[in-house]
Structures are given as structure tokens and as C-alpha cells.
Amino acid sequence: MRETTPDRSPADARSDHGPDEGAQVIVVGAGPAGSAAAFHLARAGVDVLLLEKSHFPREKVCGDGLTPRAVHQLIRMGVDIKAPGWTRSRGMRWVAGDHQVHIDWPALGRYPDFGLSRSRHDFDDILARHAVAAGARLRSGVKVTEPLTDRAGRITGVTATTAEKEPLTFHAPIVIAADGASARLALAMGLQRDRNRQIATAARRYYRSPERSREEYLELWADLRFPGSDHFLPGYGWIFPMGDGRVNVGLGALPHRRHGKADLRATLDGWLARTPEAWGLREENAEGPVRSAALPLGFNRHPLYTRGLLLVGDSGGMISPWNGEGIGQAMEAGEVAAETAALALALPRGPRREQVLRGYPVEMNRRWGRYYRLGNTAADLVFSRSGFQPVLNRYVMGSPFLLNTLARLLTNLTDKPSHDLIDHLLNGVVRLVPEPKVRRRR
Ligand SMILES: Cc1cc2nc3c(=O)[nH]c(=O)nc-3n(C[C@H](O)[C@H](O)[C@H](O)COP(=O)(O)OP(=O)(O)OC[C@H]3O[C@@H](n4cnc5c(N)ncnc54)[C@H](O)[C@@H]3O)c2cc1C
């Protein structure tokens, strides 16, 4: 962390471009969290600078699946999801043992009744361009190295380098960390992850599979086992249709209570070997290597705001502990962070502005605090021991009501205020969970 002298006003910052560039808000990382934040800030008339270390289009290891919650965020941003390249899903197909069931996405008042898939290679590029079209300034190929702080420890900007090792400095009174699971900026500002919270890992690979590429359902397998063992994997496998002749196949798992970290590659190989030959999920149809990455779950980093820095998406550990989904969450948090920052900038520097910025973790906690707390408990007590087997038993698989309730619990799809019996049930259960305390730092 590098210390700077006088705290510069946004107006100062804006007039000062070139090697020492400024903005009202700097967003670090142009994944879904960063591009959503930059888009909403630009729409609110804020001068926003989006710094991204890669050049688009670029790969991101992901399952590429979007639930209706994530689609809702795309619609809020006005992304053209009717354009070619988006693959719609009607719901989920769950496979467990000899059983498979289809669960259509629910018809709710608040969310669309379809999901989507799109490779992150395109998806992140579209979102970043969308933010630029709204007025955000994107600097790609710029890797942020350190926060700049004033004497009080408050962030005043960041240092960065280009691929040619050119050093750069950027100033802003508010910085949004959207740099993903590595959370380097948060760490540099002293925000450690909660060591009691588990980190899941997931691996994926693309296969050419015309047979499965235009499926209408996102397929999830809950009966995977540790290689050479009878124990169920503490996670699930997926086959998501990409609509372009390919499928995205992968699996994610928590560390197991007794067996520790799963060998994802061996589990994937064992699983795919038992899928029908006609699906084509074999080595000769694979595109690229198996790639894996970490999934920070269930709000595993606190506080989500400190000294001018807001954490969004994976950098704040916002992946759902219920199902490993993080794209919609990243975009939603990006929108909340943008609203907060825009409001804060309308106030003069000082205690009132600070009070508004401190409202960001409070709002995120209001939205997901109880739901994530319950999910973290379910992950600790159930998923990390036996995966989804105990909840996806024969009894649940045979009852449309229980299946729909479980599906909506796992994907956080309810109307508020409650509309139907499942809403009443799920919203009621979540309300019974004590709200986690919002941790604060000076
Ligand atoms: C194998 C796997 C499968 C998954 N499947 C799904 C799924 O199907 N659906 C779903 O909803 N979620 C899924 N997730 C989770 C999802 O990928 C993440 O939650 C989501 O990408 C988080 O978005 P983000 O913007 O916070 O971070 P990221 O998408 O990681 O974006 C961070 C950005 O910051 C940039 N960056 C990093 N460091 C710097 C730096 N120092 N300077 C400048 N830029 C920097 C990166 O290049 C990147 O563009 C999956 C995750 C994994 C690992």
C-alpha cells in the first residue's frame, strides 16, 4: 500500500488525465461485478474509470450458466438478450441415481421465467462494452498493483502497470474492488477472508456435443462420487448447453469433512466415462484443457466497505453457498455499490458521505445476510459431508411440490412480498434466521 499526500477532489481528479489519471470512481476488474458497477455509475452521470488487466474478449473459467436472477440483472442493464448467441433454458434437469426430474423456472412477478447460458468469452466482453456505451472509460491491459492511501489510511486511488511495465497512477475518492476471487485490492487494504468459511473449487471443460448443445434444461448431476470410493462428492456436476454445438461440462465441490479436497479431474473423468457415447463427452471432442478455479462463498470477506473501498462480487466472497452461482450476485452487488457511490458523491466529503458509504454492507446484508447464513450452515452440515444426496432423496424427487421448493431455495427465487405457498414457506424460514451483524472497521 502506498501513501499519498493531499486528498484530491473529484474535480481535480477529472481534470488530470495522462499518466496520472483520475475519475470520481475507479472500478478495478471488468468481470460481471465491475462492468455492472461501471455501467450503473455511468448511467447515474458519474465519471467512472474501469481498469482491467486483460484484453477482451478473454477466457474466464466458469460454468456459463445464468439463472433467472442473473437474467433479471441483464434486463435491468438493458443488455440485448434477444440478440444471437444467447441460449435460453426452461429450467433444470436434476439427475440422481436412477432418477431424473425436470423443474421449470418458476413464473414469478419479479424474475423472468427463463435462464440463459453464454460463454464468458463473449459475456464479459458484451458487459464491458455495454458499460463503455453508457459512458464508462475502460482501460484494458492495465493491472492494478496497489492501493494509494492518504495519511488516515483512506484509499485515494491505485497504482497499476501495463503489459510493457509502464507504471501508472489513478486517483479517485471512491474505489470499487471487483478483481475477483484473488481479492488482491481488499487484501492490500487489510481485509482478510474469514478462515472459518470454506472455499469451494470447480473445474470445467468444453466439449463438442451437437446432441446436447441445444438442450432446453441446465443439467445437474447430484450422484457423483469420489474416485474409487462409495462416498458422495460434496458438490455436483453440470452439463450446460452453449447452443453453438458445444456444452460446458464441469463440477464443483466443497472440501469434504473427512476426505478433504476432491480430485476434480479424476472425478470428472470417472463421471464422463459413464455418460452415453452419443453425447460425445470424450477426450477427442474436448476443446481446451480442464481448467479450475476457487469459489469464495457466503460473504467470506468483511467488512464489504472500508475507508473509501467497496467490495463487489467474488472479491467480497459473494458466491451463493447454496449452489455456487456468482454471476448474478456480482451484477446485483455492482448495482448496489454504484447506487451507493453515486449517492455518496452527491454529498460533500466528510461524515455524511461516509455514512452513505457505510450503508453498502448494510444493504447487502439486508438482501442476502440471512439467506447466506442459512446456506453456510447447510454447506457445513450437509453439502460438505454428503453433497446433495440427503436433500435429493427419492421422497423429494417424487414430489413436485418439494422439488420446486428445493429448487427455489437453492436458486433464491421467491417473490417478496410472498405470492404463493412456496414464497411463504421460504421467506418465512429465512426470516427466522438471526440477521448476521454487519462488521465495521474504522
Ligand atoms: C469453474 C467455475 C464455474 C462457475 N460456474 C458458474 C455458473 O455457471 N454460473 C454462475 O453464476 N457463476 C459461476 N461461477 C462463479 C462465477 O464465475 C463468479 O462468481 C463470477 O465470475 C464473479 O464475477 P466477478 O466480476 O466478481 O469476478 P471475475 O469474473 O473473476 O472478474 C474479475 C475481473 O478482474 C480482473 N482483475 C483481476 N485482478 C486485476 C487487477 N489486479 N487489475 C485489473 N484487473 C484485474 C480480472 O481479469 C477479471 O476480468 C463459476 C466459477 C467457477 C470457478
Side-chain angles (χ1 to χ4, degrees):
M1 186 166 10
R2 200 176 317 153
E3 198 176 289
T4 54
T5 36
D7 204 4
R8 297 146 48 104
S9 76
D12 289 341
R14 251 175 305 167
S15 64
D16 190 10
H17 288 235
D20 198 3
E21 192 173 334
Q24 285 178 293
V25 178
I26 290 171
V27 180
V28 178
S35 287
F39 167 82
H40 289 289
L41 281 163
R43 283 293 289 264
V46 173
D47 177 23
V48 53
L49 183 59
L50 178 57
L51 303 176
E52 166 57 48
K53 69 176 179 188
S54 316
H55 288 281
F56 290 110
R58 56 112 179 84
E59 280 296 314
K60 156 75 178 89
V61 184
C62 189
D64 307 328
L66 303 169
T67 65
R69 275 191 84 95
V71 179
H72 171 76
Q73 286 305 128
L74 290 173
I75 294 169
R76 287 179 71 78
M77 288 174 65
V79 173
D80 182 8
I81 53 171
K82 292 203 177 93
W86 298 95
T87 301
R88 283 197 183 206
S89 62
R90 271 178 68 172
M92 295 179 283
R93 181 190 298 117
W94 284 350
V95 181
D98 302 334
H99 289 69
Q100 53 169 282
V101 285
H102 293 84
I103 309 150
D104 284 357
W105 297 119
L108 300 174
R110 192 168 158 70
Y111 301 106
D113 60 355
F114 62 94
L116 291 169
S117 42
R118 179 139 204 173
S119 85
R120 294 289 297 274
H121 183 264
D122 298 342
F123 181 85
D124 288 28
D125 188 22
I126 290 171
L127 245 54
R129 280 194 276 122
H130 201 66
V132 170
R137 287 185 280 138
L138 170 67
R139 293 281 302 264
S140 39
V142 171
K143 182 175 180 181
V144 169
T145 45
E146 262 188 305
L148 291 167
T149 56
D150 62 17
R151 275 191 217 102
R154 193 182 173 83
I155 198 159
T156 57
V158 293
T159 58
T161 56
T162 62
E164 296 74 38
K165 303 275 176 254
E166 182 197 352
L168 300 167
T169 309
F170 301 95
H171 291 277
I174 298 174
V175 177
I176 294 180
D179 51 353
S182 71
R184 294 234 164 75
L185 200 54
L187 280 170
M189 288 289 284
L191 302 178
Q192 304 294 329
R193 85 174 165 84
D194 180 349
R195 301 264 157 212
N196 296 320
R197 292 260 59 81
Q198 309 204 42
I199 293 219
T201 44
R204 70 96 171 101
R205 196 176 200 186
Y206 292 105
Y207 288 86
R208 286 180 297 283
S209 175
E211 167 102 4
R212 306 302 314 269
S213 183
R214 293 200 177 274
E215 273 289 326
E216 289 184 304
Y217 290 88
L218 301 180
E219 185 160 305
L220 303 163
W221 288 54
D223 66 340
L224 308 185
R225 293 171 199 263
F226 277 92
S229 147
D230 279 346
H231 293 281
F232 286 110
L233 187 83
Y236 64 83
W238 70 79
I239 304 173
F240 290 168
M242 302 309 300
D244 58 359
R246 297 181 306 158
V247 285
N248 179 321
V249 180
L251 47 87
L254 288 160
H256 190 272
R257 287 259 152 199
R258 256 188 305 151
H259 305 282
K261 237 174 122 177
D263 181 344
L264 294 184
R265 178 65 206 249
T267 314
L268 187 69
D269 289 346
W271 167 38
L272 296 187
R274 70 184 166 101
T275 58
E277 192 82 42
W279 292 5
L281 308 179
R282 301 289 185 268
E283 192 59 38
E284 62 272 20
N285 297 318
E287 269 190 12
V290 176
R291 292 187 62 198
S292 62
L295 281 84
L297 306 167
F299 280 148
N300 77 347
R301 196 176 300 277
H302 289 283
L304 294 174
Y305 170 74
T306 187
R307 295 168 285 144
L309 181 77
L310 298 97
L311 311 187
V312 294
D314 282 10
S315 86
M318 292 186 183
I319 293 182
S320 168
W322 288 100
N323 65 356
E325 178 194 357
I327 301 171
Q329 289 71 3
M331 288 190 288
E332 187 173 335
E335 180 176 0
V336 177
E339 265 175 23
T340 310
L343 182 59
L345 286 165
L347 299 165
R349 270 161 209 264
R352 273 291 291 124
R353 185 187 278 190
E354 199 54 24
Q355 187 188 357
V356 169
L357 291 168
R358 288 214 185 104
Y360 169 67
V362 176
E363 175 58 17
M364 294 316 300
N365 196 44
R366 188 192 66 76
R367 287 180 185 229
W368 306 334
R370 290 186 160 108
Y371 174 71
Y372 273 19
R373 180 175 234 186
L374 192 61
N376 285 335
T377 307
D380 285 348
L381 298 182
V382 184
F383 306 148
S384 67
R385 287 169 203 260
S386 322
F388 287 83
Q389 280 302 305
V391 284
L392 265 186
N393 51 45
R394 269 168 193 275
Y395 187 58
V396 174
M397 295 280 272
S399 158
F401 175 76
L402 291 178
L403 263 179
N404 279 300
T405 307
L406 180 62
R408 284 171 60 179
L409 173 66
L410 295 177
T411 50
N412 199 9
L413 285 171
T414 58
D415 270 330
K416 288 188 192 93
S418 301
H419 229 78
D420 62 11
L421 182 58
I422 298 181
D423 287 340
H424 280 291
L425 197 71
L426 295 180
N427 293 336
V429 166
V430 170
R431 256 198 312 272
L432 289 177
V433 178
E435 192 170 81
K437 284 205 177 68
V438 177
R439 276 177 248 168
R440 256 166 87 162
R441 211 172 258 204
R442 80 186 159 83

